[in-house]
Amino acid sequence: MSERTGWDRRLVVRASGKVLVGHAGAVLLRRCADRTGLTGALAKVLPSGGVGWRDRAQLVVQLAVSIALGATNLSEAEQLQLHHRPLFGQAASDSTAHRALAALDERAVGKITKARRRVRHHVWSLLHLRPGGFPWLSVAGRRLTGWIVIDIDATVITSASKKAGATVTFKKTFGFHPLAAWCANTAESLAMELRPGNAGANTVADHIRILADALAQIPHSSQAKILVRVDGAGATHGPLEHLEMLNTARRTVRYSVGWKMTESDEQAIARLPETAWETSLKQNGDLQEGYFIAELSDLNTREGWPEGMRLIVRRVKPSGRQLKKLTTFEQKTGWRYSITATNIRHMWGIAGSHQPQFLDVLHRSHASVEDRVRTNKAMGLHNLPSKSWEINRGWVLTANLAADLDAWVASWPCTTKAASPTPSPTPCAFGSTTCPPAWPSTPAAAGCRSKRAGRGQRRSRSAGTGSAHSPPSPDDGETPRRRPGRSRPSTPPGGVEPRRSRSDTRRPHPRSYGTNRANDQVAQAITAAEESRPTEARTPTPRRQGWPQSRGLMSSGFSSVPSPGRLFTSSRRSSS
């Protein structure tokens, strides 16, 4: 797709501090979409651009990139795309994106879902070829090789205004109640269904439908061994019977779900001898003192459930905030109990997978799905942008594309440990799309442009590019002001200043050095030069070449000038 659009031709990445582009990690996300074939796959199912029309595939991909960078509505997505106009060309307006999302009906969503499945098949084939291999999960010190783990969970998206489908939720809030499925191996969002706020947490039809959509996204070559994990909402007859029916001669499906404890379960727990309780395990396989596990399958008297289902009970000492929620039986025994239901008898190739301790750890690792929910809410799902149900459904689908791009970039390794017998790839996503809190200093950082005054170690002229934004040196005929009573440490032979601590470099705000003072001096010189000229000879100050003309960037939370030394910079080569 990049050969047709041509936006990445003659593109270079450098740290010269010139022609800066904020959030330059958008280049990585957009190239990931192009190289994996996502842009091309969407171009085959969405209307292509013509005279006076925009290519819907590029619009959706660019909107997904904006959502991954933090855009929370269509207006912010437009402003962020204006920020990247030197890279990707003219940005699509929020009204154009509004019409594009409104045009995503059921038929278009189905086509996009099939396109995502084809692209995911290609990406997973690449993951198998990477240095660390496919990201198999590790539970209790054991590697689940060959098992694809699907986590299903529902969440609440609040709404501050009346929107189509927004109602009172079971948490006494107002908004939506979507149900989604994630792949725990790759952290991808396999499927997500936008539901009204009053949708049930344990609706059988919704769970079966979202499971079918998630299984359809998994390549056929990886469907031999599937593990489905659900919280207590999945402990109903319908989903469990459906999971049992998915087992075939070529596919093994196992589940691990939460279990709502009843009075009959408490009676079975009371009959357990004290010797039946064993110490629980941590996620790394070490013993977890104070937590105990036992099997309740033989003592269970509840009928009508799938044959071969096992019940694993866990007991812990309740915390202070849990004392009011204890049942009479729990208050009597002094323990808090929780039960897990599973059909795992043995996982082939994994030693000790039949033990209750392993099954308990396997289900507790389902809590990692909360991190995926939090991440997806940070990428567009914290608040839906429109009152229209169709537009919000298209926004959710685009947010899922953004989650896929984020997961694909994070899954690709930058370095591997050569000494390790099983290489563990280091993801290269940190700092790729956002600014980390402690980005390492670079010699080119002194030449970056910034309007904000920052405290910290003063950089010497030799460390930078010598631009007009560097702090003045004594050679320029001006001596920097210093705080009275504090002398500057002497420079040793060789001209290299000793490294100073942060406490030695702190100065009061009115007497700050660095880019703030340099910018003030340049501004004063320009103002004095303009005032000395005749009125008719004055010319407006030219805008910075390649930057957006709109002033709306600052109002929407995106800075048009990046901070010094904090951004991954990119620019185009000259056409000469």
Side-chain angles (χ1 to χ4, degrees), residues 85-169:
R85 186 169 52 182
L87 283 173
F88 306 120
Q90 187 65 28
S93 63
D94 56 348
S95 58
T96 302
H98 185 277
R99 291 190 297 268
L101 294 181
L104 297 180
D105 53 5
E106 292 287 349
R107 183 179 180 182
V109 171
K111 292 181 179 179
I112 294 177
T113 301
K114 293 180 180 179
R116 293 178 61 194
R117 179 177 58 188
R118 293 193 297 268
V119 175
R120 199 181 314 278
H121 182 277
H122 174 62
V123 172
W124 283 28
S125 63
L126 296 178
L127 291 179
H128 281 282
L129 298 177
R130 70 177 190 163
F134 193 81
W136 307 115
L137 289 186
S138 294
V139 176
R142 296 171 177 85
R143 191 176 179 87
L144 307 184
T145 304
W147 286 88
I148 301 298
V149 183
I150 300 177
D151 289 327
I152 299 178
D153 195 17
T155 185
V156 172
I157 300 179
T158 58
S159 176
S161 61
K162 293 183 179 180
K163 300 177 182 179
T167 58
V168 179
T169 67

Side-chain angles (χ1 to χ4, degrees), residues 177-189:
H177 190 199
L179 182 65
W182 289 268
C183 179
N185 301 79
T186 59
E188 296 170 286
S189 179

Side-chain angles (χ1 to χ4, degrees), residues 326-560:
L326 298 180
T327 63
T328 304
F329 174 74
E330 291 175 334
Q331 294 177 356
K332 180 180 179 180
T333 58
W335 295 92
R336 181 173 177 267
Y337 300 93
S338 60
I339 300 177
T340 302
T342 179
N343 65 342
I344 300 177
R345 291 291 179 179
H346 177 72
M347 302 177 71
W348 186 86
I350 303 175
S353 57
H354 64 286
Q355 297 288 345
Q357 295 95 325
F358 175 82
L359 299 178
D360 172 69
V361 178
L362 180 64
H363 182 74
R364 284 191 290 116
S365 61
H366 169 68
S368 60
V369 72
E370 300 297 337
D371 294 335
R372 302 313 310 166
V373 173
R374 175 178 51 83
T375 302
N376 283 48
K377 284 189 174 183
M379 291 190 296
L381 294 183
H382 180 72
N383 184 33
L384 300 184
S386 176
K387 293 184 178 181
S388 171
W389 176 270
E390 290 75 15
I391 295 177
N392 287 335
R393 182 182 57 187
W395 177 270
V396 170
L397 178 59
T398 310
N400 285 343
L401 294 177
D404 287 345
L405 292 176
D406 176 72
W408 294 343
V409 171
S411 298
W412 196 253
C414 288
T415 57
T416 56
K417 298 180 181 179
S420 176
T422 56
S424 56
T426 302
C428 59
F430 181 76
S432 62
T433 56
T434 57
C435 300
W439 191 268
S441 302
T442 59
C448 297
R449 300 181 176 91
S450 175
K451 293 183 179 180
R452 296 182 297 178
R455 298 180 179 180
Q457 181 177 355
R458 178 191 175 194
R459 296 181 176 87
S460 62
R461 293 277 296 189
S462 60
T465 59
S467 66
H469 300 277
S470 301
S473 63
D475 298 337
D476 299 332
E478 179 181 1
T479 304
R481 292 174 292 179
R482 303 185 181 91
R483 294 181 60 180
R486 178 175 293 183
S487 60
R488 184 178 180 179
S490 59
T491 304
V496 180
E497 296 184 2
R499 183 178 180 87
R500 295 174 291 173
S501 63
R502 182 175 176 85
S503 59
D504 296 332
T505 61
R506 291 181 178 177
R507 304 178 178 88
H509 180 71
R511 298 185 180 183
S512 61
Y513 291 90
T515 58
N516 185 53
R517 182 179 179 185
N519 289 338
D520 291 342
Q521 292 175 352
V522 173
Q524 293 174 4
I526 294 176
T527 303
E530 284 291 322
E531 292 179 352
S532 62
R533 300 175 61 186
T535 306
E536 58 275 5
R538 297 181 185 179
T539 57
T541 304
R543 295 185 182 271
R544 188 171 297 173
Q545 182 68 25
W547 291 96
Q549 303 293 331
S550 174
R551 298 286 294 177
L553 292 173
M554 302 300 293
S555 62
S556 61
F558 299 103
S559 174
S560 60

